[in-house]
Amino acid sequence: MWALLIALTLWSPLRTEGAYFSQFSMKEPDHDPCYDMAGRPVRCVPDFINAAFGKPVIASNTCGTSGPSKYCSIREDADGILREHCDTCDGSVRDKAHPASLLTDLNNSQNMTCWMSEPSTDYPHNVTLTLSLGKKFELTYISMQFCHRLPDSMAIYKSTDGGKTWTPFQFYSTECRNIYGREPNVQISKHNEQEALCTDAHALAPLANRIAFATLEGRPSSFEFEKSPVLQDWVTASDIRIVFNRLSPDQAELYGLTNDVGTNFTDLDVIKQRYYYSMGELAVGGRCKCNGHSSRCVLDKMGKYTCDSILTNVNTFPIAAKDQCGKCRVIPKRMNQKKFCRRDYAIAVSVLGREQTNGWIKFRILIEDVFKAKSGSFASRRGEQALWVSYSSLACKCPKVRVGRKYFLQGRDASNDLSRPGISLDNHSIMLEWNEDLIEKIDRFARREHRGQCPMRRKMAP
Ligand SMILES: *[C@@H]1O[C@H](CO)[C@@H](O)[C@H](O)[C@H]1NC(C)=O
Ligand SMILES: *[C@@H]1O[C@H](CO)[C@@H](O)[C@H](O)[C@H]1NC(C)=O
Ligand SMILES: *[C@@H]1O[C@H](CO)[C@@H](O)[C@H](O)[C@H]1NC(C)=O
Ligand SMILES: *[C@@H]1O[C@H](CO)[C@@H](O)[C@H](O)[C@H]1NC(C)=O
Ligand SMILES: *[C@@H]1O[C@H](CO)[C@@H](O)[C@H](O)[C@H]1NC(C)=O
């Protein structure tokens, strides 16, 4: 499975880029992959997603944040001729602002919105972008779509501890040795699989506007990834940092172009307008990562992957704080005649499966026995039904509902909520784990009720 996915990831940039990335970013699983259709937990490999989408990016430097600045770029015009065009960036004007939030906003290819650093002739011209993914992911690639010239020298770092410490992931430079002190284009063997390499490959395609770092490309153990703790560790990250150190040479000078105002190329202010970094999209392909065998990735109620410990909590909702969980009326200490009489139905059910919906868990139940029910009510129908329990009740383990178990269930026929057809648990319900000793008691309660032997309701004062 991994080999296939890796192959897909590596080959995909060759396809139509926009289509691939928007497809990737939009992908939303339609059911929880960590449970099978019967609601049993299964080994789950979460889908690959663009983990960067909508996540915050912090730039050390952004064009136009301390007043308007002029910048220029070379574009091919409709007539096919390269010309320099100049504009201003201004953080206080919506159409002229280029904040880092545009990097992860999914406005790609058709109308790319760009982050831009302040033009500068400083050397080295170091600018940093830091992306927080919010949790650990196993990353397959980091893709950067540039709006302007590619950087000449750039380093990618990763953190696995939320940005406290950083380790190098990859370097790009035409001068790997001088700038990063690394040999260029080193061959990867089994011995240096967890080492950041430096490459000048990006400089070989001067017209390209995308640099994609495939985390496993060329690493021998990638074909047995599941067996390689070294590579599993290598691809794990919670934060990504991109440090630009040097821009590629200025094309206007290279091509001997003049701009729309007849630039004097010895004028430093004018040269400065061409020296900035600009990126349109930062995408990170990855899948949710959880450590150890005691936890797995699950979808939370917002549809986001989170880690969930299967040892302590099979259910996939946050455990409520103790003081949010009041006394549980659903699980009474004792059953008695009065409780039996006061409820509309009494049934025995098996829990077949579970699904999550907004704020509620929907269990599929099989009504096996009906001891009492109003005719026509959901509870009166043997066979499959839905049982709705709110997240907050389950979070308090009130009740604890397990797929595959059998329960005794009593409750009132609530006013029908069309959005939740079936049986809903409320604070008048009773739910007990089934045991055969219950039958005798229930039969006795049912017989007495039938004979009109229910305890009297207390009379209201007139
Ligand atoms: C970016 O895309 C989103 C969703 O497609 C859209 O709502 C938003 O207006 C776009 N923003 C810009 C600046 O084009
Ligand atoms: C792209 O952006 C330009 C300028 O911001 C705008 O005029 C145009 O309508 C946009 N096109 C699309 C397809 O959103
Ligand atoms: C810029 O980055 C380079 C490479 O990481 C580093 O050696 C240098 O000290 C940095 N310079 C500044 C001014 O931060
Ligand atoms: C270009 O700019 C430099 C410095 O500003 C100035 O000395 C020189 O005269 C200018 N040359 C032209 C042709 O304008
Ligand atoms: C019963 O539940 C409702 C909401 O579901 C709550 O407002 C009410 O206080 C509860 N009553 C008791 C007696 O717990």
Side-chain angles (χ1 to χ4, degrees):
M1 174 124 168
W2 253 92
L4 175 67
L5 288 166
I6 292 159
L8 280 175
T9 308
L10 295 182
W11 284 105
S12 291
L14 298 177
R15 295 199 276 137
T16 331
E17 291 172 351
Y20 170 66
F21 281 99
S22 51
Q23 194 185 358
F24 210 82
S25 319
M26 294 299 207
K27 188 155 175 48
E28 258 192 40
D30 49 11
H31 90 280
D32 187 338
C34 303
Y35 290 87
D36 68 12
M37 285 316 189
R40 287 178 292 257
V42 295
R43 177 187 145 74
C44 60
V45 179
D47 292 339
F48 285 85
I49 56 166
N50 175 5
F53 177 55
K55 301 281 165 58
V57 183
I58 295 170
S60 64
N61 175 320
T62 297
C63 187
T65 44
S66 46
S69 313
K70 201 170 170 197
Y71 67 91
C72 303
S73 62
I74 307 268
R75 274 208 310 271
E76 189 177 318
D77 284 346
D79 57 10
I81 294 171
L82 291 174
R83 285 198 187 81
E84 182 167 55
H85 295 268
C86 298
D87 201 346
T88 48
C89 56
D90 185 344
S92 62
V93 180
R94 200 164 168 273
D95 287 351
K96 304 272 182 198
H98 295 275
S101 58
L102 297 176
L103 289 167
T104 50
D105 68 346
L106 188 61
N107 288 59
N108 49 13
S109 25
Q110 293 93 22
N111 223 0
M112 200 153 56
T113 52
C114 303
W115 160 80
M116 200 178 279
S117 71
E118 187 71 44
S120 163
T121 46
D122 291 350
Y123 183 82
H125 185 17
N126 292 357
V127 175
T128 301
L129 291 175
T130 307
L131 165 71
S132 293
L133 301 174
K135 64 175 301 306
K136 283 187 197 173
F137 283 84
E138 285 184 348
L139 306 186
T140 46
Y141 69 83
I142 297 168
S143 164
M144 292 151 282
Q145 172 115 31
F146 292 88
C147 299
H148 180 53
R149 303 204 301 280
L150 292 185
D152 169 85
S153 299
M154 168 176 90
I156 304 174
Y157 297 85
K158 64 158 191 166
S159 171
T160 52
D161 55 12
K164 288 195 202 77
T165 57
W166 296 91
T167 51
F169 223 178
Q170 173 80 2
F171 297 97
Y172 294 89
S173 182
T174 52
E175 292 182 73
C176 288
R177 225 170 278 130
N178 283 348
I179 296 191
Y180 298 119
R182 290 177 189 250
E183 291 298 309
N185 307 316
V186 168
Q187 190 71 32
I188 312 169
S189 72
K190 288 242 178 193
H191 304 291
N192 63 349
E193 289 193 292
Q194 204 174 6
E195 201 175 286
L197 304 180
C198 189
T199 177
D200 58 10
H202 66 298
L204 302 177
L207 294 179
N209 61 359
R210 182 189 291 279
I211 294 179
F213 166 49
T215 58
L216 291 172
E217 189 176 12
R219 292 176 204 263
S221 300
S222 61
F223 293 100
E224 2 169 62
F225 180 84
E226 302 285 358
K227 291 187 209 149
S228 170
V230 169
L231 282 192
Q232 286 166 24
D233 192 41
W234 169 248
V235 302
T236 299
S238 59
D239 302 75
I240 295 295
R241 175 168 282 175
I242 298 165
V243 183
F244 301 109
N245 298 107
R246 188 167 79 177
L247 202 58
S248 61
D250 179 47
Q251 286 164 305
E253 278 162 294
L254 281 183
Y255 297 126
L257 300 177
T258 51
N259 70 4
D260 35 13
V261 288
T263 302
N264 177 345
F265 286 124
T266 58
D267 187 336
L268 208 59
D269 272 349
V270 174
I271 290 174
K272 183 173 125 179
Q273 291 164 12
R274 306 192 184 106
Y275 279 86
Y276 55 90
Y277 304 102
S278 181
M279 196 195 280
E281 188 177 86
L282 173 58
V284 172
R287 63 181 196 185
C288 180
K289 160 116 181 170
C290 292
N291 284 324
H293 297 292
S294 63
S295 62
R296 61 181 75 232
C297 285
V298 294
L299 288 175
D300 67 13
K301 55 181 158 176
M302 304 304 288
K304 299 256 160 55
Y305 280 110
T306 53
C307 289
D308 184 58
S309 166
I310 53 169
L311 287 187
T312 57
N313 180 20
V314 174
N315 297 318
T316 62
F317 36 78
I319 298 175
K322 246 215 165 89
D323 56 2
Q324 291 177 321
C325 298
K327 201 172 128 203
C328 186
R329 296 161 53 98
V330 179
I331 310 170
K333 285 225 164 55
R334 285 182 56 232
M335 278 293 300
N336 61 30
Q337 185 73 47
K338 189 167 108 189
K339 284 182 184 143
F340 187 88
C341 288
R342 295 276 166 92
R343 283 159 183 81
D344 295 329
Y345 60 84
I347 54 182
V349 305
S350 285
V351 179
L352 303 178
R354 71 198 281 296
E355 288 165 35
Q356 298 181 64
T357 61
N358 205 9
W360 292 78
I361 303 273
K362 179 186 176 186
F363 291 97
R364 277 192 307 118
I365 57 169
L366 183 68
I367 299 184
E368 295 188 0
D369 243 318
V370 179
F371 305 101
K372 136 180 188 182
K374 291 188 175 158
S375 73
S377 69
F378 282 108
S380 68
R381 305 172 203 166
R382 282 170 192 260
E384 259 191 61
Q385 287 288 346
L387 172 68
W388 300 86
V389 188
S390 70
Y391 276 118
S392 48
S393 308
L394 279 179
C396 290
K397 295 200 165 73
C398 178
K400 207 159 145 185
V401 184
R402 291 224 167 97
V403 174
R405 299 274 174 98
K406 188 171 170 180
Y407 296 89
F408 173 66
L409 193 59
Q410 270 211 281
R412 292 186 182 174
D413 293 326
S415 58
N416 276 339
D417 184 341
L418 291 179
S419 66
R420 292 191 299 277
I423 296 169
S424 295
L425 283 197
D426 60 19
N427 44 21
H428 297 290
S429 307
I430 288 174
M431 192 164 184
L432 297 174
E433 207 152 331
W434 183 260
N435 71 65
E436 295 302 321
D437 298 342
L438 274 174
I439 295 184
E440 202 186 316
K441 242 185 212 171
I442 294 165
D443 275 345
R444 192 166 70 240
F445 293 149
R447 271 198 310 274
R448 284 202 196 138
E449 183 175 21
H450 197 64
R451 283 189 241 123
Q453 293 174 345
C454 276
M456 297 288 281
R457 282 177 181 269
R458 209 177 295 144
K459 289 245 169 63
M460 289 293 189

